[in-house]
Structures are given as C-alpha cells and as structure tokens.
Amino acid sequence: MHIKSLLDEDTESSVCYAALEARLALEKICYDRLRQRHDYISHADLRAWTPGHVVQRVMEEVDGNVAVTKTLSISKRPAHPNFKPEDEDYVEIGTEVGFKPQHIARMWQALSNLALHVRLPEHRDDYIPAYGDKIKTRAKIEEVLAELERLSKGTMSFSGLGDEVSFDCHCGQKNRRRAALLKNGQTVSCYKEGCPRGYKVALQEDGSFVFELDSVAISCSACNASMLAPRHELLKMKYEQPATITCSKCGYQNQIKWVLARADLPPKSGAKLY
C-alpha cells in the first residue's frame, strides 16, 4: 500500500503525504457506499460533502443498514413446498463489511487537524512549523490503516434492501425511493443531473405515497390563471435575473425576476404607526 511506503520513509513530509492519502482513502470508502445506492437519492439532497455527513444521509434516505456488515448466502437446493430456511445448507456469495460513520468521520477530521493545516500563529514571535507533529500523525495513520485493512475483506456491495416506490419527474426521469425511509412532508429532489425540481412526499391513508411538485403559484398577468413554477428553480435565480414562464392556458410569456420589496406587516392591536 502506498500509505505504508510513505510511512517507511519516516520523514515529516512523507508522513504528511501519508496522512493525505489516508484521508482520501476514507473519503473513497464512504463515497463508494453512496455510489452503490445513488439510484435512490439525488446528489442535490446530500447537502454536505464530508464523508460522515454523506453516509449519515444515505442511512436516512436510502439504506438504514448501510454501515452494517451484511452477508449474502444462497441455499444449495431450490425452494420447494416444504421449504424451511433453518433446515437448509447455504453457500456464502459475498459480504459487505460495515463501519461506524462517526468513527470514520473522527479519523478523517483528526488527520486534517494533525497534518493537513499549518498552525495559526498566536503572536509575532511564534514559530510556525511546516508540518504537524510526526509522532501523533503517524499513530493516527496507523489507526486508519487498521480500519482500511478490515474493510478490504469485503467481497461485494449492496444497493440497499426493502420495498421501493417510484414517481416520474416532469423532466421525464423515473425516480425510485425506499418506501420505509420516506416521511410525510419530506422534500425529495429529482436525481437527473441538471434537473432542479423537488417533490413533496404525501403519505396516504392506505399507506401509499403521492409525490407533488414542490412549486410556487404565480398568476398569469394576461389571463390571471395560476402557473406553477418549481421552487428550486426560483431559489437558484440571482438577484434581478429575469426569467420567462409561459402560461399553459393562454400562452402568454410572463417575465419574472427577484427584486427587493418592502414587506408591510399589519400593526399590532393598539400599536401606533409613525
């Protein structure tokens, strides 16, 4: 492993570079878990890019067991009318090794604090070393190496388990979600690259889900019909940036833009206005 060869050099610079390599390896582990499950979550819904946050988000949105060790086995005989799982012999197909996201996040942050930032001076005569504490950094890297070695024993990856529901976005993309992890009122984004649309999740009495476009109603200036504009598209507009919304009823092209406006609130009872 390249990290070990850098440690073997045992210089301040090589240990610093080993810390960087170790940090990148931790990121790759977490992002690989995301990649295997990216068909069930939009990149726009991740909100943060740090490894711990990414895995935590995947656990909440896609696979609650993303960090749990899972083994897939298959019975040696095909299913039959009197099939009892406990009576069958199985052949192991593969294992995905689990890990604690908080543990990965702590190691990742510790490497940054120890080796990947120059210390801030406390006063004019404070000496600023070019590298961090070599002994402490090396100890943390060896802790990471032990975890990487444990995780390397995995032989397969899962995309998650459980029933799924789907909905079609206005852009034509079919989106899939894990039913057990959806929440009433939650907003989910379309996972087609470049599509800014989001959808509100509505849980029905029969247990089914309805996905409604998260939108803002705007009146057409020509016919007063209500037009629905995706909220995400509006929020991405810059100040005074113009945009066009075509009315589906009369075809009029309405011009909109963000502007600064005064918001007058109704006075409280007994309050005086000056």
Side-chain angles (χ1 to χ4, degrees):
M1 183 181 289
H2 184 50
I3 300 175
K4 291 182 178 179
S5 64
L6 287 169
L7 287 181
D8 289 341
E9 293 182 27
D10 199 29
T11 65
E12 288 186 328
S13 61
S14 67
V15 171
C16 178
Y17 296 145
L20 175 59
E21 291 282 353
R23 199 168 186 258
L24 292 174
L26 292 175
E27 290 179 2
K28 188 175 187 306
I29 288 169
C30 294
Y31 298 162
D32 273 344
R33 296 288 167 110
L34 165 65
R35 182 178 57 82
Q36 294 294 336
R37 296 158 174 85
H38 230 318
D39 285 345
Y40 296 92
I41 188 171
S42 168
H43 192 75
D45 288 339
L46 294 176
R47 300 181 185 174
W49 62 270
T50 56
H53 283 99
V54 166
V55 176
Q56 187 63 38
R57 193 70 177 176
V58 171
M59 290 175 66
E60 295 171 357
E61 302 271 347
V62 183
D63 182 5
N65 297 313
V66 65
V68 177
T69 297
K70 296 177 286 292
T71 299
L72 178 65
S73 300
I74 188 171
S75 64
K76 294 181 178 180
R77 298 189 302 164
H80 50 81
N82 298 320
F83 181 83
K84 293 182 179 181
E86 63 272 16
D87 295 335
E88 297 297 317
D89 292 328
Y90 292 88
V91 176
E92 184 175 313
I93 303 300
T95 297
E96 182 179 64
V97 180
F99 60 86
K100 295 180 179 179
Q102 298 87 346
H103 181 50
I104 295 290
R106 283 194 294 268
M107 290 191 296
W108 180 84
Q109 187 61 49
L111 288 172
S112 176
N113 295 338
L114 286 168
L116 303 183
H117 295 290
V118 175
R119 183 175 62 80
L120 189 68
E122 297 180 5
H123 50 80
R124 180 182 178 88
D125 298 324
D126 191 8
Y127 171 71
I128 306 299
Y131 300 100
D133 188 301
K134 188 178 74 169
I135 296 176
K136 291 182 179 179
T137 303
R138 185 185 185 94
K140 184 59 63 175
I141 294 172
E142 289 174 348
E143 179 185 344
V144 173
L145 285 174
E147 180 68 0
L148 294 175
E149 179 67 24
R150 188 183 70 85
L151 293 172
S152 68
K153 296 175 182 175
T155 56
M156 70 180 302
S157 296
F158 291 82
S159 62
L161 303 171
D163 295 335
E164 66 179 48
V165 294
S166 63
F167 66 94
D168 293 321
C169 178
H170 286 61
C171 71
Q173 175 68 52
K174 188 179 187 67
N175 289 263
R176 297 183 294 169
R177 293 281 170 164
R178 293 293 180 193
L181 298 177
L182 286 173
K183 304 175 184 65
N184 189 47
Q186 175 185 359
T187 300
V188 297
S189 301
C190 174
Y191 55 67
K192 182 177 180 180
E193 184 178 358
C195 180
R197 295 175 179 84
Y199 291 82
K200 286 283 188 181
V201 178
L203 177 62
Q204 306 300 293
E205 291 183 358
D206 62 358
S208 62
F209 292 95
V210 173
F211 296 86
E212 302 172 343
L213 181 65
D214 185 17
S215 58
V216 175
I218 301 176
S219 297
C220 174
S221 61
C223 69
N224 208 37
S226 180
M227 305 176 297
L228 297 180
R231 187 184 301 273
H232 284 194
E233 289 185 353
L234 296 178
L235 294 178
K236 286 186 176 181
M237 291 175 60
K238 297 180 180 179
Y239 178 66
E240 290 195 338
Q241 174 188 348
T244 301
I245 300 179
T246 303
C247 178
S248 60
K249 183 176 180 180
C250 71
Y252 181 75
Q253 292 187 328
N254 294 266
Q255 299 295 315
I256 64 170
K257 66 178 179 179
W258 281 112
V259 295
L260 184 65
R262 188 182 70 190
D264 289 328
L265 300 178
K268 295 181 180 179
S269 177
K272 295 181 179 181
L273 295 179
Y274 296 94

